Amino acid sequence: MPLSSDRPGRDETLLAVVVVGVLLAIVTLSGPFAGIDLGGGPPALAAYATAVLITDVMTAVLLLSIHAARPSRAILVLSLGYLFTGLAAVPWVLTFPGVFSQTGLLGAGLQTTAVIAAGRRVVFPFAILAYALLSRAESGRRSVEGWPGVLAGIVLAIAAVAALTWVAIAGGESLPLMRDPRVATAAWNVVPAVAAVICVSALGLLWWRGVQCSLDLWLIVVLATQLIEIAMLAWLSSGERFSLAWWCGRAVGFVSASVVLVVLMIDTMSVFDRLLRAARAERQMREARLAG
């Protein structure tokens, strides 16, 4: 698959820079109005969670198809990171206060949604960091193939989401992350700080070892957008849900979740186009030989 093997060209690199630049401009423009309360309704949050679920799961499936064609532990771990993050959006929205019930479903408490959000916030950049470490270790060496490992990884991701949900419901109230359904406590600031450190570490590792393929480039964009999202959700919004900065952070987060998927889909269409052209050229040559 070209996305996982070709170095990005100048135009692709420029596009990546433009994407990050536009998102930074959004942060700059929204800064003075970050605290404005926009409110929020259940349909908007449910739609956001559904979009994230679909986007992340589709990205995981396409990455697994790359792993099937070119077995790589790095790609496998990255795909499972996307799968975990997407699936975790389900209990996040189900337990969100006011979306499906006043306190959230599944026996949720005040802290449940925040604990699930903390898990998603930390695990995803950690998966990219693991990808960077594993891809460097795999350089020049082929990974072991096998669907049992893939299936075991998928089961592990699902089990991890279930475990996170159980911990958030059963023991989440011992973690004082939310003061009320709208405002976070000072303790919540630890979560975005940890996530930001992981993002910077992964970004630095990818940059230090050099961008070896297009996937590396777009993961750098993802990490940059993650940092922008963290800044908007945690710091510009002052930890308050439904503010302008909070909703802008959600929009940036969706862009972050979509970047690799869009590039993968474009890349897949390009591969099919080349295959169709090759098949058409071969058929024309065969017809020409038969006609001669």
Side-chain angles (χ1 to χ4, degrees):
M1 299 288 286
L3 180 62
S4 63
S5 58
D6 289 355
R7 291 182 181 273
R10 181 179 299 178
D11 291 343
E12 189 175 4
T13 303
L14 178 61
L15 177 60
V17 172
V18 169
V19 170
V20 176
V22 168
L23 295 178
L24 283 173
I26 292 174
V27 175
T28 303
L29 293 174
S30 64
F33 314 100
I36 296 177
D37 184 7
L38 296 183
L45 285 169
Y48 166 79
T50 302
V52 169
L53 169 64
I54 294 172
T55 300
D56 282 347
V57 171
M58 288 180 64
T59 303
V61 170
L62 289 174
L63 286 170
L64 285 173
S65 71
I66 293 178
H67 171 72
R70 297 169 57 90
S72 164
R73 291 187 182 92
I75 295 292
L76 177 60
V77 169
L78 181 63
S79 67
L80 295 179
Y82 270 100
L83 182 62
F84 172 89
T85 308
L87 293 178
V90 176
W92 177 83
V93 74
L94 289 177
T95 60
F96 202 106
V99 177
F100 294 101
S101 72
Q102 192 64 30
T103 58
L105 300 179
L106 307 177
L110 176 62
Q111 311 298 333
T112 303
T113 304
V115 174
I116 296 172
R120 295 180 71 244
R121 179 68 57 202
V122 171
V123 168
F124 182 65
F126 186 80
I128 300 180
L129 177 61
Y131 162 84
L133 290 169
L134 289 171
S135 60
R136 183 170 182 266
E138 288 175 347
S139 179
R141 186 175 60 187
R142 191 172 180 81
S143 295
V144 178
E145 299 185 44
W147 280 106
V150 174
L151 294 176
I154 293 173
V155 171
L156 180 62
I158 295 173
V161 172
L164 174 63
T165 305
W166 180 81
V167 168
I169 295 172
E173 297 311 302
S174 63
L175 299 172
L177 300 178
M178 298 298 299
R179 183 178 306 137
D180 57 53
R182 292 178 64 96
V183 181
T185 65
W188 168 258
N189 292 329
V190 175
V191 176
V194 171
V197 168
I198 299 173
C199 283
V200 171
S201 300
L203 199 155
L205 180 57
L206 286 171
W207 190 270
W208 174 72
R209 71 171 176 78
V211 177
Q212 299 175 354
C213 59
S214 291
L215 182 56
D216 288 353
L217 172 66
W218 291 105
L219 285 177
I220 288 174
V221 172
V222 169
L223 290 167
T225 56
Q226 286 278 301
L227 289 171
I228 295 171
E229 181 187 8
I230 289 170
M232 300 192 80
L233 289 177
W235 300 314
L236 287 181
S237 69
S238 300
E240 184 173 347
R241 291 169 173 169
F242 308 124
S243 64
L244 174 64
W246 191 84
W247 278 114
C248 285
R250 293 294 166 199
V252 171
F254 181 69
V255 171
S256 177
S258 306
V259 165
V260 172
L261 175 62
V262 171
V263 176
L264 282 169
M265 292 179 69
I266 292 173
D267 189 68
T268 301
M269 289 187 291
S270 175
V271 170
F272 280 123
D273 180 64
R274 287 199 294 270
L275 289 174
L276 287 173
R277 289 176 183 272
R280 188 180 300 116
E282 183 180 356
R283 187 178 67 247
Q284 290 173 348
M285 290 176 61
R286 186 169 58 251
E287 292 174 351
R289 286 197 303 268
L290 292 173

